[in-house]
Amino acid sequence: MEPIDKINKVLEDFGITGVKAAEAMGITYDTFKSKKNEKNERHSFNEKNYQDLVSFIKKQTQNLDK
């Protein structure tokens, strides 16, 4: 599965907006929009973006019990 497909699935499953997703991945919202644009093949999401998103979600869920 391509990183963009994995990212889109996570965003959909958790209902995460583009602004929050950009924050989670450590990129600007403009960069997020550019990478999300499927016509932009040169600059698309990569595995690091996916791992950053997953790490953000894990960290946020750990904070629920605190």
Side-chain angles (χ1 to χ4, degrees), residues 4-15:
I4 191 166
D5 297 326
K6 294 191 293 188
I7 288 171
N8 284 332
K9 180 169 179 8
V10 170
L11 296 179
E12 183 179 313
D13 288 351
F14 287 92

Side-chain angles (χ1 to χ4, degrees), residues 1 4 16 20-21 23-24 29-31 37 50 52 59 65:
M1 185 180 264
I4 191 166
I16 299 173
K20 187 54 82 174
E23 177 188 334
Y29 180 63
D30 287 337
T31 300
N37 182 354
Y50 173 71
D52 289 343
K59 183 178 179 183
D65 291 334

